């Protein structure tokens, strides 16, 4: 079961949001001024209408009425223009903040330790990069600007009503009890509900991704019904979490809708009584009623967008949680003082379970070819990952020269030590683009790397290095993808190459030929081959035999076959003796 990436807490989300807002400080100040002017324009029409009513009651002339009516029309038009422009400015602000967030997310994702990505599962990362980032985008682009606008509007309207008459202003608070109780009930439950919904969505995505990637294996072993059952269970959980958040909204919104008529009714009743007692003018009562009616819209938007903010904050917690991954390296790190690769008394366990490596010590000399052999599950690939710096040992240390490999930054480490496995990715783009990921080389060098790994098919492509690769274009088979990956390694030119079943997708004859070509191309470099075909061990300078997480033999092929130990038994079994 994948454990998923961590989720940031409330304080961390607040700090991250403030960091984004501070980066747009001048634009944010301009937005607030614009919103204030827009709000002021919004209260002009009700105030002018109140003045007009009072002037008519005392016998104002037609010219005066026409002037006031004209001012009302102008104020409405100005407000409409300002509202439109303020939304445009708010959206631009949100898009800039979202672009900065996306860049930060991609930067963090690219710096994630591979072991953490594998433990969390690609589904969690995909969901955070797609659904969660999109939800945060809605918060930045729509919810936050709209919230700013609505808050300023409510404050300006409330202040204006209090200026008209403090008693009428107090009527606005008649809706406070029901709004407070409904909002408090909702906010206590919303964050956890939306976090659970996001986690359920990640689980569904992870199931879909794993099913798609392992489709052939599932078909071979008849695992279809089991995967369908797992998918249905995930969808059922996502459905339950979605139903819960929907229930929260179905309680919140009706309680708010029932609250909004109360201030208007209060002003009409109390204002009417005050008017008949000559304590306030009719124009003031009308203006206050219109202002409170106008107050309901931004206040409702505050509460409506508060729900989006809760959803956005939950997604932001998942996006920001990527930065909490322990061991996320930054910077180039230490510079190793040599090419000698050493594992000193290393032990390793997956997720705190039983050690799969137990006190392994191995000294790999620069320039030697070392083969690691042993039965399945002995810990060969795990040792390869530790030597490549992919995983960190539970105890002991892996060093390059005298420098712990964990202190070397990933970008520098990948130029020094490369791990090639049987799992490869062909990126959508040209063959040249796929090779240039390792090195920006000229065409002659690219073709030379392909020739060195026996990728003869590349010479026969219709467009050569400009041939487009991808599922809907030229779809490389597993063997061709493996040769492409090996060509990348040659172009990257690390001093140490760790090959973990790097030719397993090739047929035995092609694998033997490719390994011979690779040996010539990698002459002078350190090569560690995790061997499942023992002819690789035969050609190596030394062979390390692993059984049950320990190195039980170490020596040359000749020495170990003569010793009559585990390697000799493997060799005889492989030859059918």
């Amino acid at each position: 079961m994948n454990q998923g990436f961590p989720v940031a807490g409330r304080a961390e989300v607040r700090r991250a949001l403030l960091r984004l807002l501070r980066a747009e400080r001048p634009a944010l100040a301009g937005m607030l001024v614009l919103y204030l002017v827009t709000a002021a324009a919004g209260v002009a029409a009700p105030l002018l209408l109140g003045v007009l009513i009072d002037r008519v009651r005392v016998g104002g002339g037609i010219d005066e009425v026409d002037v006031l009516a004209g001012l009302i029309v102008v104020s409405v038009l100005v407000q409409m223009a300002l509202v439109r422009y303020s939304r445009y400015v708010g959206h631009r602000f949100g898009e800039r903040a979202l672009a900065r967030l996306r860049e930060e997310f991609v930067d963090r994702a690219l710096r994630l330790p591979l072991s953490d990505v594998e433990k969390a599962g690609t589904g969690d990362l995909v969901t955070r990069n797609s659904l969660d980032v999109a939800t945060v985008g809605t918060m930045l682009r729509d919810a936050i600007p709209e919230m700013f606008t609505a808050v300023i509007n409510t404050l300006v309207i409330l202040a204006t009503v209090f200026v008209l008459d403090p008693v009428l202003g107090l009527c606005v608070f008649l809706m406070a009890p029901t709004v407070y109780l409904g909002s408090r009930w909702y906010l206590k439950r919303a964050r956890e509900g939306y976090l659970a919904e996001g986690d359920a969505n990640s689980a569904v995505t992870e199931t879909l991704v794993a099913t798609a990637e392992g489709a052939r294996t599932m078909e071979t072993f008849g695992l279809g019904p089991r995967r369908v059952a797992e998918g249905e269970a995930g969808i059922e959980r996502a459905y339950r979490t979605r139903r819960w958040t929907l229930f929260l909204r179905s309680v919140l919104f009706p309680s708010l809708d029932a609250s909004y008529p109360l201030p208007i009714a209060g002003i009409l009743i109390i204002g009417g009584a005050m008017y008949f007692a000559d304590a306030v003018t009719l124009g003031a009562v009308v203006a206050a009623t219109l202002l409170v009616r106008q107050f309901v819209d931004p206040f409702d938007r505050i509460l409506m967008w508060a729900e989006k903010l809760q959803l956005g904050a939950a997604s932001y917690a998942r996006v920001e949680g990527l930065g909490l991954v322990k061991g996320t390296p930054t910077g180039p790190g230490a510079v190793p003082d040599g090419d000698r690769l050493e594992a000193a008394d290393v032990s390793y366990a997956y997720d705190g379970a039983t050690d799969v490596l137990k006190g392994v010590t191995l000294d790999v000399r620069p320039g030697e070819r070392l083969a690691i052999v042993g039965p399945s599950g002995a810990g060969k690939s795990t040792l390869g990952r530790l030597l490549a710096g992919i995983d960190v040992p539970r105890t002991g240390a892996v060093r390059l020269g005298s420098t712990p490999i964990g202190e070397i930054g990933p970008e520098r480490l990948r130029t020094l030590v490369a791990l090639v496995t049987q799992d490869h990715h062909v990126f959508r783009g040209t063959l040249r683009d796929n090779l240039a990921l390792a090195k920006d080389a000229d065409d002659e060098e690219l073709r030379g790397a392909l020739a060195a790994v026996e990728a003869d098919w590349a010479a026969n492509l219709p467009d050569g290095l400009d041939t487009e690769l991808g599922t809907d274009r030229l779809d490389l088979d597993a063997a061709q993808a493996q040769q492409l990956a090996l060509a990348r390694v040659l172009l990257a030119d690390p001093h140490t190459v760790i090959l973990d079943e790097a030719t397993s997708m090739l047929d035995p004859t092609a694998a033997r030929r490719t390994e011979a070509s690779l040996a010539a191309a990698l002459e002078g470099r350190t090569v560690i081959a995790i061997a499942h075909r023992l002819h690789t061990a035969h050609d190596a300078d030394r062979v390390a035999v692993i059984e049950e997480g320990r190195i039980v033999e170490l020596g040359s092929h000749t020495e170990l076959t003569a010793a009559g130990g585990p390697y000799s038994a493997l060799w005889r079994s492989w030859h059918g003796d």
Side-chain angles (χ1 to χ4, degrees):
M1 180 69 179
N2 294 322
Q3 62 188 38
F5 291 109
V7 176
R10 287 185 173 90
E12 291 154 334
V13 170
R14 282 195 297 270
R15 285 195 296 269
L17 184 57
L18 288 175
R19 186 175 67 246
L20 271 182
L21 296 179
R22 277 196 299 268
E24 295 285 340
R25 194 175 300 169
L28 187 60
M31 280 172 51
L32 294 178
V33 171
L34 178 60
Y35 292 161
L36 188 60
V37 172
T38 304
V43 300
L47 291 176
L48 289 171
L49 181 59
V51 172
L52 187 151
I53 290 172
D54 287 339
R55 296 306 302 162
V56 170
R57 288 194 72 254
V58 299
I62 294 178
D63 292 340
E64 190 175 4
V65 170
D66 289 343
V67 169
L68 289 170
L71 289 174
I72 291 173
V73 173
V74 170
S75 68
V76 170
L77 293 176
V78 169
Q79 184 197 18
M80 290 173 59
L82 288 172
V83 167
R84 183 178 179 84
Y85 183 65
S86 64
R87 285 181 175 167
Y88 167 76
V89 170
H91 281 193
R92 283 181 58 86
F93 161 81
E95 289 293 347
R96 287 193 301 270
L98 178 59
R100 190 172 289 106
L101 176 70
R102 286 187 184 276
E103 290 169 358
E104 185 179 71
F105 182 89
V106 171
D107 181 58
R108 286 174 171 175
L110 291 176
R111 289 190 285 108
L112 285 173
L114 293 179
S115 57
D116 289 334
V117 175
E118 291 174 349
K119 290 175 184 176
T122 54
D124 188 26
L125 190 59
V126 167
T127 301
R128 294 185 190 221
N129 184 47
S130 54
L131 181 61
D132 287 322
V133 170
T135 302
V136 175
T138 300
M139 181 182 74
L140 294 172
R141 184 179 54 251
D142 299 320
I144 290 179
E146 288 286 347
M147 183 68 80
F148 277 145
T149 305
V151 168
I152 291 174
N153 276 336
T154 55
L155 293 176
V156 169
I157 292 171
L158 189 60
T160 304
V161 176
F162 268 94
V163 168
L164 282 173
D165 190 276
V167 175
L168 297 181
L170 290 174
C171 292
V172 175
F173 295 98
L174 290 173
M175 67 178 181
T178 51
V179 168
Y180 170 77
L181 292 174
S183 301
R184 187 172 183 273
W185 180 90
Y186 170 80
L187 293 174
K188 283 177 62 177
R189 297 162 175 81
R191 185 176 189 273
E192 296 304 322
Y194 286 121
L195 284 175
E197 183 178 331
D199 184 58
N201 290 334
S202 288
V204 170
T205 304
E206 173 64 26
T207 301
L208 291 175
V209 170
T211 302
E213 290 179 347
R216 292 181 180 177
T217 301
M218 290 173 212
E219 183 179 1
T220 300
F221 293 99
L223 300 177
R226 183 188 301 177
R227 296 303 295 178
V228 169
E230 290 180 9
E232 289 177 346
I235 292 171
E236 174 63 26
R237 181 188 169 212
Y239 172 75
R240 288 197 307 269
T241 58
R242 188 72 61 87
R243 280 284 300 268
W244 172 245
T245 55
L246 177 61
F247 169 71
L248 296 181
R249 294 192 294 273
S250 69
V251 172
L252 174 67
F253 294 148
S255 69
L256 299 179
D257 291 339
S259 306
Y260 297 149
L262 299 179
I264 297 175
I267 286 182
L268 291 175
I269 295 171
I270 297 174
M274 292 175 65
Y275 168 70
F276 287 115
D278 293 327
V280 68
T281 66
L282 179 61
V285 174
V286 172
T289 303
L290 292 176
L291 286 168
V292 171
R293 179 64 188 87
Q294 193 171 304
F295 172 89
V296 167
D297 177 63
F299 187 79
D300 184 56
R301 280 190 285 126
I302 289 175
L303 298 174
M304 293 282 287
W305 284 112
E307 185 266 334
K308 294 293 183 184
L309 285 176
Q310 287 292 313
L311 179 58
S315 290
Y316 204 171
R318 289 166 50 78
V319 170
E320 190 63 21
L322 215 62
L324 303 179
V325 177
K326 293 182 179 180
T328 301
T330 57
V335 179
D337 56 2
D339 296 345
R340 195 180 194 93
L341 191 58
E342 176 192 9
D345 195 28
V346 298
S347 297
Y348 184 81
Y350 289 100
D351 297 327
T354 305
D355 282 342
V356 293
L357 289 179
K358 306 166 185 176
V360 172
T361 296
L362 181 64
D363 189 0
V364 186
R365 298 186 290 264
E368 83 164 321
R369 294 181 59 84
L370 173 71
I372 301 176
V373 302
S376 296
K380 303 184 298 297
S381 296
T382 303
L383 179 57
R385 290 170 62 86
L386 293 181
L387 293 173
I390 303 299
D391 291 324
V392 179
R394 185 180 62 79
T395 61
V398 177
R399 300 184 184 90
L400 192 57
S402 61
T403 306
I405 204 167
E407 296 180 5
I408 305 171
E411 292 185 13
R412 173 172 288 153
L413 181 60
R414 294 287 79 81
T415 65
L416 303 174
V417 181
L419 172 66
V420 185
T421 69
Q422 61 180 326
D423 299 318
H424 314 294
H425 186 75
V426 178
F427 292 89
R428 185 181 179 87
T430 65
L431 177 58
R432 177 184 286 103
D433 294 336
N434 272 269
L435 291 169
L437 292 170
K439 180 182 179 182
D440 189 11
D442 58 34
D443 288 2
E444 183 178 353
E445 190 173 357
L446 298 179
R447 293 191 183 97
L450 290 168
V453 297
E454 302 289 331
D456 300 330
W457 51 269
N460 301 319
L461 294 177
D463 297 320
L465 293 172
D466 293 319
T467 301
E468 293 284 343
L469 306 181
T471 53
D472 58 341
R473 299 172 184 183
L474 177 62
D475 192 8
L476 300 185
D477 60 31
Q480 292 170 330
Q482 198 160 53
Q483 289 173 321
L484 176 60
L486 292 170
R488 287 179 186 146
V489 172
L490 293 182
L491 291 168
D493 195 26
H495 66 62
T496 299
V497 179
I498 302 172
L499 304 173
D500 186 1
E501 295 190 79
T503 58
S504 61
M505 296 299 179
L506 306 177
D507 63 71
T509 302
R512 185 73 168 148
R513 190 171 64 247
T514 299
E515 287 170 3
S517 299
L518 266 177
L522 295 173
E523 183 68 32
R525 298 177 180 83
T526 304
V527 178
I528 302 171
I530 297 170
H532 294 263
R533 293 167 176 158
L534 289 191
H535 61 70
T536 303
H538 178 275
D539 298 337
D541 299 323
R542 288 193 300 163
V543 180
V545 182
I546 296 184
E547 288 186 352
E548 297 181 355
R550 302 181 188 275
I551 293 181
V552 295
E553 284 189 307
L554 181 63
S556 69
H557 169 77
T558 302
E559 293 169 345
L560 297 184
T561 51
Y567 178 76
S568 177
L570 282 173
W571 182 259
R572 290 196 307 271
S573 174
W574 191 64
H575 274 276
D577 296 341

